[in-house]
Amino acid sequence: HHINAVEVNKSNFIGMPDIKQIGQIKSEYQPYFEEYVSNVSSLDMAASLESLAFCVACCKNLGVSNILDCGSGFSSFVFRNSEKSFSKNSAWKVLSIDDEPSWIRATKKYLQQYELNNDSALMVLDDFLVHESAQIEKYDFIFYDLGRMPVRIENLKGLLIIFLKAV
């Protein structure tokens, strides 16, 4: 008999999604993901479909309103599209930041295909780091998938300091 860790630990965490909820979200985004990794990015660079389905379910269950998406790309699409699909009672505000200006441009182009673009909600990391109003914003949910691993490690401490100041 197989016991699922998410089911066993669900009662310990407010907002923890169940496997069925994650599976539904994953199924909804599967065709978009396949198209994205075939035409825009690569499988090794895109955030995993499973992690994004889990995060969207958590955001929905927790009733979040303000999401910081660190690392633009497929996650930027999923959070914005999910806001339209899943958050009937409240609007999600999503800010996507990236260390690479070229990825911001690519993300903007991809979001435009689905009429999900909002220029003010896409920002290069260097601009975010000097943009006081973006830094003091209180984020209910932070998705940290910034660049390759060395970039993530290099920027984590500085971003944590900013986030802790806003708490």
Side-chain angles (χ1 to χ4, degrees):
H1 179 52
H2 183 280
I3 298 175
N4 188 304
V6 173
E7 292 299 324
V8 170
N9 294 320
K10 184 177 178 190
S11 63
N12 296 331
F13 301 101
I14 297 170
M16 179 66 82
D18 60 36
I19 295 300
K20 182 179 177 189
Q21 184 183 24
I22 294 168
Q24 288 171 334
I25 296 167
K26 183 181 171 194
S27 293
E28 178 175 337
Y29 283 102
Q30 185 72 44
Y32 296 105
F33 183 76
E34 289 172 9
E35 182 265 334
Y36 185 82
V37 298
S38 295
N39 300 320
V40 180
S41 185
S42 60
L43 193 56
D44 66 321
M45 287 302 292
S48 77
L49 187 53
E50 293 79 7
S51 67
L52 289 170
F54 177 82
C55 290
V56 166
C58 286
C59 289
K60 180 181 182 228
N61 293 352
L62 292 169
V64 304
S65 59
N66 207 3
I67 298 170
L68 180 62
D69 170 34
C70 298
S72 71
F74 192 65
S75 59
S76 306
F77 166 76
V78 169
F79 286 125
R80 284 166 177 79
N81 194 63
S82 296
E83 186 270 329
K84 282 185 3 184
S85 302
F86 297 119
S87 64
K88 307 285 188 237
N89 299 329
S90 64
W92 292 354
K93 182 177 167 188
V94 181
L95 172 61
S96 298
I97 63 174
D98 204 291
D99 62 303
E100 288 288 336
S102 61
W103 271 113
I104 291 290
R105 290 189 297 274
T107 298
K108 178 180 177 179
K109 183 178 176 184
Y110 186 72
L111 294 174
Q112 285 173 334
Q113 292 177 24
Y114 296 97
E115 299 179 359
L116 295 171
N117 191 41
N118 181 346
D119 287 342
S120 64
L122 293 165
M123 189 178 287
V124 177
L125 176 63
D126 290 342
D127 294 339
F128 176 81
L129 294 174
V130 297
H131 196 277
E132 271 189 43
S133 63
Q135 290 182 23
I136 62 169
E137 190 76 39
K138 295 216 184 280
Y139 299 99
D140 303 315
F141 192 88
I142 299 169
F143 183 70
Y144 194 71
D145 188 40
L146 191 63
R148 296 189 183 275
M149 202 51 68
V151 171
R152 288 182 201 173
I153 293 167
E154 177 184 329
N155 289 286
L156 183 59
K157 183 178 178 183
L159 286 170
L160 282 173
I161 290 168
I162 290 169
F163 302 147
L164 291 173
K165 286 181 188 175
V167 175

